[in-house]
Amino acid sequence: MTETVRPRLAKLLIEAMAKHLPPSASRLRLLDVNGAAGAILTELRPDLELVSVGGDAATWTSDTVPAESFDAIAAFGYVLNPDFLNAAMQALRPGGRLVIVNSRGEVSPVLGETLENAGYVRILVETAVECPLPTGVLMRGEKAHTTSHTLERIQQVADLDENALDLESYKGRFVHLLITQTPNKPAWKLDAGEQVEWQAAAVEGENEPMLLAFSSLPKAVAFMQPAVLDGRVKDVNKVGKFSKATAQGWALPVLLNPDLTILNDRPLRLVPVDATTAEAPDE
């Protein structure tokens, strides 16, 4: 069941949903219920792989909605019902996220309890937008991970993309670099006119450094965390996101999704990279 919403308000509500999409591999596979949110979400997140379905979960099939195959489900203007929540749970991968917005709803403990009773975890129920008055309700819940260990969770998502990819044939839209930012502070703490410098992690090649690049944030973190714990990567304080087109214009060669063993016999070094060419950060 869906509702009719004025276009401007609908855009604001769907933009609020975008902020709650989960980290993913190089492509975020999204199930768009009733096809109501996909167009705006794709403008905001061009890495989406979109599948639209009707709002009646009884019509979903294993061909259109395979089990555990979606990173996220967006249901705009949807009224909760048990059949839908159960079907959405089956469609999400472990750690996948259900995001629902209703313009006429109100924040209530009952909504959180409904999600909890359907098996969702990390539940959030909040006012959807302020425009300028509080309007609507946003509900979010996740399918539980199959492991409680953070590194294993990250690795589960990272494994969705292969190692040692070729940048030219890579189908994703973005690459991620391990960055040392100076000064190491967020944008809101920078003084007026203060500039930041980025240096990216690279390894020595035969003739020139080779940038260590990754197809997704989880892939970058899965590489970085064990390397940091082992003392082989130091001073990295940021992951920078760049378009594939930007990466193809870099003067240095790119190693996309290198295996951690690349650090066994190649010294790590930092090389300058232009922070202004990076994409805006997202969750």
Side-chain angles (χ1 to χ4, degrees):
M1 180 178 178
T2 57
E3 56 178 344
T4 301
V5 183
R6 297 188 308 275
R8 182 178 177 278
L9 177 57
K11 187 173 187 296
L12 292 174
L13 293 168
I14 295 170
E15 287 173 348
M17 298 178 79
K19 298 176 182 178
H20 293 271
L21 295 179
S24 68
S26 58
R27 300 285 290 168
L28 190 152
R29 188 164 169 81
L30 175 71
L31 190 67
D32 182 19
V33 179
N34 280 326
I40 293 174
L41 290 176
T42 302
E43 290 179 4
L44 299 169
R45 287 286 299 266
D47 59 324
L48 294 182
E49 181 180 324
L50 198 67
V51 175
S52 295
V53 292
D56 183 0
T59 66
W60 299 0
T61 69
S62 59
D63 291 330
T64 58
V65 187
E68 298 195 345
S69 62
F70 289 92
D71 299 297
I73 297 174
F76 174 71
Y78 202 84
V79 178
L80 296 184
N81 66 77
D83 290 341
F84 167 75
L85 290 176
N86 291 336
M89 176 69 75
Q90 294 178 27
L92 289 169
R93 64 161 171 82
R97 192 172 291 176
L98 171 65
V99 184
I100 304 168
V101 160
N102 189 313
S103 71
R104 293 195 289 257
E106 295 182 356
V107 174
S108 166
V110 173
L111 297 175
E113 293 169 1
T114 300
L115 289 168
E116 184 177 32
N117 291 337
Y120 290 86
V121 298
R122 296 190 66 195
I123 293 165
L124 174 69
V125 179
E126 65 179 16
T127 299
V129 293
E130 307 275 347
C131 59
L133 296 177
T135 302
V137 60
L138 183 144
M139 296 157 277
R140 189 185 85 186
E142 292 186 1
K143 183 172 183 172
H145 284 275
T146 56
T147 172
S148 60
H149 195 284
T150 301
L151 287 178
E152 292 179 1
R153 291 181 182 181
I154 293 170
Q155 192 64 54
Q156 283 179 347
V157 179
D159 286 344
L160 297 175
D161 285 349
E162 296 179 358
N163 288 335
L165 296 176
D166 176 74
L167 183 61
E168 297 304 316
S169 59
Y170 168 55
K171 308 247 183 238
R173 293 176 179 266
F174 303 103
V175 299
H176 299 71
L177 299 181
L178 306 182
I179 300 293
T180 296
Q181 176 177 296
T182 307
N184 181 21
K185 54 185 179 180
W188 59 270
K189 280 194 173 183
L190 293 172
D191 297 328
E194 188 173 10
Q195 300 295 314
V196 300
E197 293 184 357
W198 279 12
Q199 292 183 297
V203 292
E204 293 288 357
E206 293 184 5
N207 301 310
E208 58 187 344
M210 297 182 291
L211 287 163
L212 301 179
F214 302 89
S215 58
S216 66
L217 178 59
K219 200 73 174 178
V221 174
F223 178 94
M224 181 176 65
Q225 285 191 329
V228 169
L229 293 173
D230 199 34
R232 291 189 282 180
V233 170
K234 299 179 180 179
D235 301 323
V236 168
N237 50 35
K238 189 177 185 67
V239 176
K241 178 180 176 182
F242 301 83
S243 71
K244 178 182 174 181
T246 296
Q248 289 173 319
W250 288 334
L252 296 177
V254 173
L255 293 176
L256 185 58
N257 290 352
D259 189 88
L260 193 60
T261 56
I262 192 74
L263 301 180
N264 290 347
D265 53 6
R266 293 179 184 267
L268 188 71
R269 60 175 293 184
L270 297 174
V271 298
V273 63
D274 185 356
T276 66
T277 63
E279 300 293 309
D282 50 33
E283 185 181 3

